[in-house]
């Protein structure tokens, strides 16, 4: 099912090292409230947080987009945060920005809770017009429109635990 490895372990690790330095510098020792969007972000979040020198607290949130046309633009909360984020410096972790809908809705939901700051870290962003106006503060890699798996990304819940990001090929 794997067409080719797009980002191997060494390449991911080197990029995470650089991102961690950038984030530490930006927060200047202030506490970061890391918020992972379940489930895909877990691998990226844990590997990046282990590299940070800044004090960190961690929470998770899970959403699902409504399928019906009437509900489009809304998200259904499957699992909410366990802690209040008011006044906190929140850094949201996403594995991949595809259309950007998940993140846009997540940012609306979280900003209404009045964090002191709200930024985004994403491992991958697809270079497609749908997400062009969505700013990612800390981005791992820009990739093409291919379907990718591994390092948190799944197909039918499988392959999340691959240590690399690969292009999926259904014909193989
Ligand atoms: C995937 C991915 C992002 C979202 C990106 O989540 O993890 O959260 O889709 O797509 P978008 O930019 O078009 O909204 P999914 O709903 O598959 O859940 P998962 O993280 O549990 O795999």
């Amino acid at each position: 099912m794997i067409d080719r490895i797009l980002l191997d372990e060494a390449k991911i690790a080197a990029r995470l090292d650089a991102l961690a330095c950038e984030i530490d510098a930006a927060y200047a020792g202030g506490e970061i409230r890391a918020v992972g969007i379940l489930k895909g972000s877990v691998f990226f979040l844990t590997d990046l947080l282990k590299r940070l020198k800044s004090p960190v607290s961690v929470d998770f949130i899970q959403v699902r987009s409504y399928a019906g046309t009437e509900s489009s633009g809304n998200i259904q909360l499957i699992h909410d945060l366990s802690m209040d984020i008011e006044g906190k410096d929140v850094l949201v972790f996403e594995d991949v920005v595809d259309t950007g809908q998940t993140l846009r809705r997540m940012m609306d939901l979280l900003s209404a809770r009045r964090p002191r700051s709200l930024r985004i870290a994403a491992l991958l962003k697809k270079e497609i017009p749908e997400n062009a106006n969505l700013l990612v503060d800390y981005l791992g890699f820009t990739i093409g429109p291919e379907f990718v798996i591994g390092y948190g990304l799944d197909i039918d819940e499988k392959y999340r635990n691959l240590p690399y990001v690969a292009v999926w090929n259904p014909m193989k």
Side-chain angles (χ1 to χ4, degrees), residues 6-170:
L6 190 63
L7 302 166
D8 64 24
E9 289 181 73
K11 199 165 182 184
I12 294 170
R15 187 70 192 117
L16 294 196
D17 286 343
L19 277 180
C21 288
E22 204 182 320
I23 291 170
D24 273 332
Y27 286 86
E31 184 179 316
I32 299 169
R33 173 65 54 82
V35 168
I37 304 177
L38 293 170
K39 304 173 195 169
S41 73
V42 168
F43 296 76
F44 171 49
L45 177 146
T46 53
D47 283 350
L48 184 50
L49 293 192
K50 282 185 279 184
R51 290 168 159 82
L52 291 182
K53 295 185 176 66
S54 309
V56 170
S57 53
V58 187
D59 210 347
F60 293 96
I61 192 165
Q62 187 170 18
V63 294
R64 181 187 297 144
S65 296
Y66 281 102
T69 49
E70 273 181 57
S71 316
S72 82
N74 293 321
I75 54 173
Q76 182 186 3
L77 210 48
I78 307 295
H79 175 90
D80 202 354
L81 297 173
S82 66
M83 296 179 279
D84 195 2
I85 57 167
E86 185 169 352
K88 301 293 181 188
D89 289 310
V90 174
L91 182 55
V92 175
F93 283 75
E94 176 70 293
D95 54 351
V96 59
V97 185
D98 194 344
T99 66
Q101 284 194 351
T102 303
L103 258 183
R104 275 193 210 94
R105 294 168 189 173
M106 185 63 70
M107 297 306 270
D108 287 347
L109 186 148
L110 296 180
S111 61
R113 300 180 185 185
R114 299 190 298 178
R116 187 164 76 163
S117 66
L118 184 57
R119 294 182 191 166
I120 300 169
L123 177 69
L124 309 171
K125 186 179 181 191
K126 291 193 176 181
E127 197 165 25
I128 55 173
E130 290 90 327
N131 68 28
N133 64 356
L134 201 155
L135 176 76
V136 174
D137 301 276
Y138 307 103
L139 177 61
F141 303 92
T142 300
I143 62 171
E146 315 98 325
F147 194 89
V148 286
I149 56 172
Y151 205 77
L153 292 106
D154 72 306
I155 173 104
D156 295 336
E157 295 296 331
K158 294 194 287 281
Y159 306 114
R160 289 193 200 273
N161 61 322
L162 295 176
Y164 47 78
V165 174
V167 177
W168 184 66
N169 181 350

